[in-house]
Amino acid sequence: MKELLYSPIFGVTITVLFLFFMQKVSAFIKNPILNPFILTLIALIGFLKITNIPLDAYEEGGKILTFFLGPVTVALAVPLYHQRKSLKKHMVPILVGITIGSLAGLLTALGLGKILGLSPEMLASVAPKSTTTAIAVELSQTFKGNPSLTVAFVIVAGVTGNVFGESFLKLLKIKHPTSKGIAIGTASHAMGTNKALEMGAEEGAMSSLAIGLAGIITTLLIPFVLPLFL
């Protein structure tokens, strides 16, 4: 039994099963607050707690899922390729928008953290929250943050964009597909992009582009912005 629990198959299997089930639940209830990612996270924590299964056992399979974060991010280039004409047409506004969005994400996160009296470690952990997990963890480690906390902050940013992003854009009366995609991808990385893909092909493609560029721009900005708040 112990060998089964500590096999990579265990972590992958229960994660996929819980996510599949929670997607069905979310689709049936049709409440944006009941996001399948959140429900899956809660269900997994509860399951491991009730069954007393060690986290180390689950993480054997979790490592496999983490490994695929990179390939999945790269695969988002496919819808981007199909929208390359729109990309060329709006190249300058896109680059300016992602740069301003990345800087705004850094300043608001670090500014609020400073007001709340967060430690330097916590500030370094929250700074890369709007980038995809693979990039955020590396940045957190580089600037002496806590990678585990960083992953939590990344999840919060992603789920928030996935759940409220579309409604917030409607509230601000932002209608252009490129603008909507860039906004969601810059602020909420892959989880937000999942929602952008549901909104439309152009929104999804631009959101995919924003993930990569926001990660690069944030990586370049953090060394200059973070020390101002420490």
Side-chain angles (χ1 to χ4, degrees):
M1 185 64 179
K2 185 176 181 180
E3 292 181 359
L4 175 62
L5 291 178
Y6 278 86
S7 69
I9 299 299
F10 170 72
V12 173
T13 301
I14 65 168
T15 301
V16 172
L17 288 176
F18 273 119
L19 180 58
F20 176 78
F21 179 73
M22 293 308 172
Q23 285 178 326
K24 296 295 183 182
V25 172
S26 182
F28 177 76
I29 299 177
K30 296 181 180 179
N31 188 326
I33 301 298
L34 297 178
N35 184 277
F37 296 109
I38 298 177
L39 294 177
T40 300
L41 184 63
I42 294 173
L44 282 171
I45 293 173
F47 176 76
L48 295 177
K49 191 70 176 177
I50 292 172
T51 56
N52 290 318
I53 295 175
L55 181 61
D56 291 343
Y58 170 75
E59 287 183 337
E60 288 299 316
K63 293 176 183 177
I64 295 178
L65 297 175
T66 302
F67 168 79
F68 282 105
L69 285 174
V72 167
T73 302
V74 174
L76 292 172
V78 174
L80 177 61
Y81 174 77
H82 292 299
Q83 298 294 327
R84 59 191 181 280
K85 291 183 179 179
S86 180
L87 172 60
K88 292 178 180 179
K89 182 179 179 180
H90 304 290
M91 178 62 75
V92 174
I94 286 173
L95 291 175
V96 172
I98 295 175
T99 301
I100 294 175
S102 298
L103 180 59
L106 272 174
L107 293 176
T108 52
L110 292 172
L112 182 60
K114 193 68 174 179
I115 292 172
L116 296 175
L118 298 184
S119 66
E121 181 188 30
M122 288 285 285
L123 290 174
S125 301
V126 73
K129 65 171 179 58
S130 294
T131 63
T132 190
T133 305
I135 297 175
V137 169
E138 289 297 325
L139 288 173
S140 180
Q141 292 174 336
T142 299
F143 295 98
K144 296 180 170 49
N146 185 320
S148 297
L149 285 174
T150 298
V151 171
F153 290 131
V154 168
I155 291 173
V156 171
V159 170
T160 301
N162 185 287
V163 175
F164 301 108
E166 185 175 11
S167 299
F168 191 66
L169 291 171
K170 288 181 179 178
L171 179 66
L172 296 178
K173 297 182 179 180
I174 297 175
K175 300 179 180 180
H176 197 286
T178 296
S179 299
K180 292 193 288 186
I182 291 299
I184 291 178
T186 301
S188 302
H189 47 81
M191 294 178 73
T193 298
N194 183 60
K195 184 64 177 181
L197 287 167
E198 295 177 7
M199 294 165 61
E202 187 171 347
E203 288 92 332
M206 293 302 113
S207 188
S208 302
L209 171 66
I211 293 175
L213 289 181
I216 294 171
I217 292 169
T218 300
T219 301
L220 296 174
L221 289 175
I222 279 186
F224 300 99
V225 177
L226 181 58
L228 300 176
F229 294 86
L230 298 179

